[in-house]
Amino acid sequence: MKNYLHSLTNSLHQITGYASLLRKYPDKVDEYAMVIEKNAYIIEGIMQELFQLKHADSPSFPIRFDSTSVVGKKVLIVDDMRENREILMDIFHTLKCEVESAENGSEALTKAELFDPDIICIDIVMPGMNGYETATALHNAGSSATLVAISALREDRSKNVFDAWLSKPFTADQIMTLLSSESLNSTMKENQSIDLSSLSHTFLHKLLDTIEKGALSQSEMLVDTLDQGACKTWLSEQLREMNLETIRTFIMSAHSSETITY
């Protein structure tokens, strides 16, 4: 139950945070409204799960994520947009993390040396050093932090400098689930294939809709309706590791190819 309450708290925090930012930055209404809507879907999904659990025979609650793997960590936020830094800092402060921020790659290198963070969240598009260059420089400087790219851009797997990738607009639930996953470095996976020919276009359309809305709970419930098999196992694994962009890409490809290789 505590994990559900924590997820609800984080989603509500995102909604109130972005509502407050809307007053400061009214020109960002489309971007912020999208994040608010996604968090509303997350809350709706959690409430649906709680309703189902109330009527289930099992007395135990499934764990959405292990927040103890994030609580108390030292986190560095690197983003040239002040409002983005504020949102991320608020999320990590909720988990009692010690948080610092930098507005460019050069400042990030200096702060990383002094602060020695456990986690560094880095925007990709920044003036001066971009996110890839910043991550590479941090590696070369000996940083052992978990490097998380947070960007609206598609991941360039050929560069292979980040431990994890999270697409904007993000939610607190997505960040916590990603950082507490057993395997962060999903970009290292190669030569895997999945045959999606058994899945109907109706199912794929519904799953794509929940993925694009950031409705993790609804996506999990939808995948749970599948019969046991390779497709269900693969999709469940991708959801556990928060590989939402991967799922979305493969669903889009499924309409033109029955077997999807990545």
Side-chain angles (χ1 to χ4, degrees), residues 7-8 46-47 75 83 103 107 182-183 188-189 197 207 252 259:
S7 295
L8 286 169
I46 293 173
M47 297 307 295
V75 182
E83 58 267 34
E103 63 182 28
E107 185 181 358
E182 294 182 0
S183 176
M188 297 297 291
K189 294 185 178 181
S197 61
L207 183 58
M252 296 297 291
T259 302

Side-chain angles (χ1 to χ4, degrees), residues 56-209:
D57 294 330
S58 174
S60 61
F61 286 82
I63 298 175
R64 296 178 56 78
F65 57 79
D66 179 14
S67 62
T68 59
S69 64
V70 185
V71 170
K73 297 291 186 180
K74 297 170 70 174
V75 182
L76 176 62
I77 311 298
V78 187
D79 197 310
D80 62 307
M81 298 293 291
R82 178 170 56 86
E83 58 267 34
N84 290 340
R85 296 197 302 271
E86 290 176 356
I87 289 293
L88 277 169
M89 291 176 73
D90 284 346
I91 290 172
F92 285 109
H93 279 144
T94 301
L95 290 170
K96 304 185 186 306
C97 291
E98 186 178 349
V99 188
E100 291 283 349
S101 69
E103 63 182 28
N104 55 57
S106 178
E107 185 181 358
L109 287 170
T110 301
K111 288 202 171 182
E113 182 178 2
L114 298 174
F115 185 48
D116 191 22
D118 302 298
I119 300 167
I120 305 178
C121 298
I122 308 174
D123 185 30
I124 297 299
V125 180
M126 296 186 294
M129 296 172 62
N130 64 32
Y132 290 113
E133 293 168 339
T134 300
T136 300
L138 286 165
H139 277 303
N140 293 339
S143 174
S144 59
T146 297
L147 302 183
V148 180
I150 298 183
S151 175
L153 299 177
R154 292 278 184 92
E155 178 181 3
D156 185 348
R157 297 188 177 187
S158 66
K159 296 184 178 178
N160 196 30
V161 292
F162 288 101
D163 298 302
W165 191 281
L166 189 64
S167 297
K168 290 180 181 178
F170 52 81
T171 66
D173 189 51
Q174 289 172 335
I175 293 174
M176 297 312 124
T177 304
L178 174 69
L179 291 175
S180 61
S181 66
E182 294 182 0
S183 176
L184 281 174
N185 199 356
S186 60
T187 60
M188 297 297 291
K189 294 185 178 181
E190 298 177 352
N191 302 321
Q192 298 187 43
S193 63
I194 184 69
D195 182 3
L196 298 180
S197 61
S198 61
L199 301 182
S200 69
H201 286 288
T202 300
F203 174 86
L204 292 175
H205 178 76
K206 289 181 179 178
L207 183 58
L208 179 62
D209 183 57

